[in-house]
Amino acid sequence: MNLSIKELKHMQSIHIMELKREELANAEDIIIDTEKCLESRMESYIDQTGNPFAQNIGEYILQIGYMEGATDSIDDCLILLAKRKTQITI
């Protein structure tokens, strides 16, 4: 499946409440052959998911996104999230 940049941006911009569970792939069914080149893995992922920005995970819909221009690593963000969740407020 070859998607244009316009199509990918549209998929990325869909509000999570507008996603239809029956149209989304189940995360546990997605298989990526890590022996293949990056381009082949990306094509396989898009072919299997249909919408690379949303998947079914159990009874939930996971919507994937990113923030352009962010300089923090995912590790930095997870540490910050853990710190916020563990703070005791009175």
Side-chain angles (χ1 to χ4, degrees):
M1 172 185 285
N2 288 328
L3 296 173
S4 68
I5 298 297
K6 185 178 179 180
E7 290 170 312
L8 285 170
K9 286 186 181 218
H10 170 72
M11 287 181 194
Q12 182 184 22
S13 69
I14 298 172
H15 189 277
I16 194 166
M17 298 304 287
E18 296 175 12
L19 294 169
K20 296 179 179 139
R21 179 178 298 282
E22 62 274 5
E23 295 177 3
L24 301 175
N26 290 313
E28 60 201 23
D29 297 335
I30 299 169
I31 299 169
I32 304 296
D33 183 353
T34 57
E35 299 295 317
K36 292 187 177 182
C37 69
L38 177 61
E39 185 176 333
S40 294
R41 292 185 306 220
M42 288 172 40
E43 285 178 17
S44 175
Y45 179 76
I46 291 171
D47 286 343
Q48 292 179 69
T49 61
N51 181 343
F53 300 102
Q55 303 168 11
N56 286 314
I57 297 185
E59 60 186 67
Y60 300 99
I61 292 176
L62 172 67
Q63 191 170 34
I64 303 165
Y66 64 93
M67 187 169 42
E68 291 186 40
T71 57
D72 294 336
S73 71
I74 192 160
D75 291 337
D76 295 335
C77 293
L78 289 172
I79 290 168
L80 181 59
L81 177 63
K83 285 180 179 178
R84 286 183 183 162
K85 293 293 183 183
T86 57
Q87 286 180 340
I88 299 174
T89 57
I90 299 176

